[in-house]
Amino acid sequence: MTEKKTIKNFVETLERRVNDIREDFTELKAEMTRRFGPKKDDEIFRALPKPQPLDVPLKTVLMNRRSERSFSDEPITDYDLSTLLNAVDGINRPNGKRTTPSCLNWREIEVYVLKSNGIWRWVPERNGLLFLSIRDVREETGFGQPAILAAPVELVYVANFKKTRGRMTMLGEKIIELFSDDWDDEAAEDIRRRAADLNAGAKVQMTYLAAAALHLSTVVRLGFDPERLGRALHLGPDEKVVAVQSLGYRPSSIFDHIR
């Protein structure tokens, strides 16, 4: 293949990728607008800064990784938030694949970011946050745990099972059904549930590692009402909250907790 053809193929592939991202984002905005209501054009999307390199030895990160339940109420900077979210669910290859694994490349785990200024949805393809609602719903993420709920950011990992029912997946399930007497709809749904737990767990652990590198406190939590939190996030019937992770700077003194 000549150099000219190679460049042409690269440009065409890049154009297709850009168009796919544009279409996906347009669909996402339309869906979120349907759920949360219309917004002003300048309120729709907040681009985050380019993520910073995490030049911390893995040994150091592993030694510092821990659950911490004490947080300063200082807001997390956009630079640190961008760096962390890119570690958790960023794009690290030209084909659009992510920094954390996903069974069958479903990418069904979606990350919602809850802050004092509202509900946001992480959009890795555009390295930014899509604004959904001005409501501060962080208190919906726990059962009366004031110290933990003082965290400035709550990451909510949502499994969108609609993404696990694509054409190729359904075709694969039909093929398995031909060769296995034990395969049925219940077995398929069980795999979907276990995949969501596994994929969310990978993101949770990446959050821990990135938080250790950035000197942030974090703790993952299962003590919440998934239906209540799902209503606050306007989730659909095919979506489920898998886990919540509190995130913030470490307090420098007891006065960091006074609001």
Side-chain angles (χ1 to χ4, degrees):
M1 184 179 290
T2 65
E3 182 178 350
K4 186 175 182 180
K5 286 185 177 180
T6 301
I7 295 174
K8 180 181 179 182
N9 289 341
F10 174 78
V11 171
E12 289 176 350
T13 300
L14 183 61
E15 287 177 346
R16 285 196 300 270
R17 179 62 187 152
V18 169
N19 288 333
D20 288 343
I21 291 174
R22 186 179 294 114
E23 290 174 4
D24 290 345
F25 185 63
T26 300
E27 292 175 3
L28 176 61
K29 285 200 299 182
E31 174 64 16
M32 293 300 106
T33 297
R34 184 185 67 79
R35 296 187 188 187
F36 288 88
K39 310 287 186 305
K40 295 179 181 178
D41 288 343
D42 60 351
E43 292 179 339
I44 289 293
F45 186 75
R46 179 183 178 86
L48 292 177
K50 182 180 179 180
Q52 303 301 300
L54 291 173
D55 295 330
V56 182
L58 179 60
K59 179 180 178 180
T60 301
V61 170
L62 292 175
M63 290 297 294
N64 292 332
R65 191 224 67 83
R66 61 176 59 87
S67 292
E68 296 182 276
R69 296 170 174 80
S70 188
F71 304 92
S72 166
D73 63 358
E74 178 186 356
I76 297 178
T77 68
D78 283 352
Y79 287 97
D80 284 346
L81 190 58
S82 173
T83 301
L84 183 133
L85 288 172
N86 269 278
V88 174
D89 189 35
I91 295 174
N92 64 355
R93 280 159 284 180
N95 61 6
K97 291 189 176 181
R98 307 297 173 82
T99 52
T100 48
S102 174
C103 299
L104 297 178
N105 198 32
W106 279 333
R107 306 181 197 174
E108 83 283 11
I109 300 300
E110 299 166 348
V111 182
Y112 288 74
V113 181
L114 311 184
K115 303 195 291 180
S116 62
N117 62 354
I119 304 171
W120 302 78
R121 167 80 177 275
W122 167 241
V123 185
E125 296 86 357
R126 293 199 167 206
N127 190 56
L129 299 172
L130 180 64
F131 175 69
L132 304 179
S133 171
I134 195 64
R135 288 186 62 205
D136 181 359
V137 298
R138 289 175 295 169
E139 290 188 356
E140 305 287 351
T141 66
F143 296 124
Q145 302 166 287
I148 293 178
L149 297 180
V153 171
E154 299 287 353
L155 300 183
V156 182
Y157 304 101
V158 174
N160 184 351
F161 290 104
K162 183 178 179 180
K163 292 184 177 181
T164 70
R165 298 187 175 91
R167 184 178 303 171
M168 293 304 296
T169 300
M170 303 299 282
L171 177 60
E173 291 176 1
K174 291 298 182 182
I175 294 174
I176 294 174
E177 188 176 356
L178 292 175
F179 295 96
S180 175
D181 295 334
D182 298 324
W183 184 263
D184 54 20
D185 290 344
E186 185 177 348
E189 289 303 310
D190 180 62
I191 286 180
R192 288 183 170 87
R193 289 190 296 269
R194 287 189 284 126
D197 291 340
L198 180 63
N199 296 341
K203 295 186 186 304
V204 165
Q205 186 66 316
M206 188 63 81
T207 299
Y208 269 108
L209 296 178
L214 292 167
H215 305 289
L216 295 168
S217 293
T218 189
V219 61
V220 65
R221 301 187 287 104
L222 296 176
F224 57 88
D225 183 336
E227 293 186 3
R228 181 177 174 183
L229 182 53
R231 288 193 296 270
L233 298 181
H234 296 203
L235 299 184
D238 217 14
E239 295 172 302
K240 174 188 174 185
V241 178
V242 180
V244 173
Q245 195 159 9
S246 303
L247 193 69
Y249 293 113
R250 296 165 183 165
S252 58
S253 74
I254 190 174
F255 297 104
D256 278 353
H257 299 294
I258 300 176
R259 294 192 165 194

